[in-house]
Amino acid sequence: MKRIFLLSLLFLFSSVISVYGYEEVEVKDGGALRGKVKVTGNIPKDEVVKVTKDKSHCGETLPREKYIIAPDGGVKNAVIVIEGITKGKAIPRTEVIIDNKHCAFQPHVQIAVKGQTLVIKNNDPMLHNTHIYLNKKTVYNFALPRTGMEIKKPINKTGLMEVECDAHDWMKGYLYVTDHPYITCLLYTSDAADE
């Protein structure tokens, strides 16, 4: 069960950062990363956190989202990364969005590729301060005081980043960034197909 600790972030492979960088090349007959991660044995229950401020909007309690596991053991937010990739398909040009919504980060676990653009949004009617750490060092620190506000920044570091809100200490999320696009985040639960 300790392996599931990374808030349902279960790495099947660890990424290796290429010393020489990633090279985009034409890929013919490429495949797709698919899968399902399941817990066996006792299925842990997710924790509940007490809301300490802005209760009129956030409520009294919220799920921690440390364990999002379906009754059949399907784990949501498991990240799969293929290691040792130095060239291959093009890096996606889509924006990577983390939304402060209903007093939580949505999605709770997000993946990205170095070179994409990160968009932090605030859809709540109060101040959020989204603070992103890599190895306990600040990568970005955004104050978003108004509803509908968004900030865009380039993603230029790789690794597992922790996302926190300095204004609401229970808000936690994760951003896993690689230097190649051979990564996926599984959304599997018993009522949702895998991605």
Side-chain angles (χ1 to χ4, degrees):
M1 289 306 160
K2 291 180 183 176
R3 294 240 177 229
I4 301 174
F5 163 69
L6 296 176
L7 83 156
S8 309
L9 195 66
L10 184 64
F11 297 106
L12 300 182
F13 301 95
S14 61
S15 68
V16 173
I17 299 171
S18 170
V19 174
Y20 305 106
Y22 179 76
E23 178 185 357
E24 293 181 352
V25 297
E26 182 181 355
V27 175
K28 295 181 181 178
D29 300 323
L33 289 175
R34 294 183 158 275
K36 185 186 303 181
V37 174
K38 293 185 89 172
V39 173
T40 58
N42 294 330
I43 296 176
K45 293 195 181 221
D46 193 23
E47 298 171 12
V48 174
V49 294
K50 290 185 179 180
V51 172
T52 55
K53 63 191 288 190
D54 297 316
K55 293 181 182 181
S56 62
H57 180 74
C58 302
E60 295 290 326
T61 62
L62 289 166
R64 167 72 70 200
E65 295 188 294
K66 183 176 180 181
Y67 305 112
I68 305 176
I69 302 171
D72 68 352
V75 177
K76 184 176 180 180
N77 293 333
V79 172
I80 299 174
V81 179
I82 298 178
E83 63 180 29
I85 302 293
T86 57
K87 63 182 178 179
K89 66 183 181 178
I91 291 172
R93 305 297 180 226
T94 53
E95 294 178 334
V96 176
I97 298 171
I98 298 177
D99 198 352
N100 291 268
K101 190 172 182 180
H102 303 301
C103 307
F105 292 113
Q106 296 185 15
H108 186 63
V109 176
Q110 180 64 278
I111 58 171
V113 180
K114 184 177 177 180
Q116 287 185 281
T117 299
L118 177 65
V119 181
I120 301 293
K121 295 183 174 185
N122 182 7
N123 275 300
D124 283 338
M126 81 274 289
L127 164 77
H128 283 298
N129 195 94
T130 302
H131 202 153
I132 301 173
Y133 297 92
L134 176 61
N135 299 322
K136 300 186 179 179
K137 294 180 182 173
T138 296
V139 176
Y140 287 121
N141 190 356
F142 308 125
L144 299 117
R146 295 182 309 279
T147 305
M149 194 172 176
E150 65 178 51
I151 296 173
K152 296 183 181 186
K153 292 289 183 181
I155 299 173
N156 52 23
K157 295 185 183 293
T158 60
L160 176 61
M161 300 184 195
E162 296 181 59
V163 184
E164 299 182 2
C165 178
D166 291 341
H168 303 92
D169 62 1
W170 67 84
M171 289 177 62
K172 308 279 184 202
Y174 295 85
L175 173 65
Y176 193 84
V177 183
T178 62
D179 59 352
H180 63 75
Y182 293 89
I183 181 171
T184 193
C185 183
L186 303 178
L187 301 178
Y188 175 79
T189 62
S190 62
D191 56 3
D194 53 63
E195 184 176 80

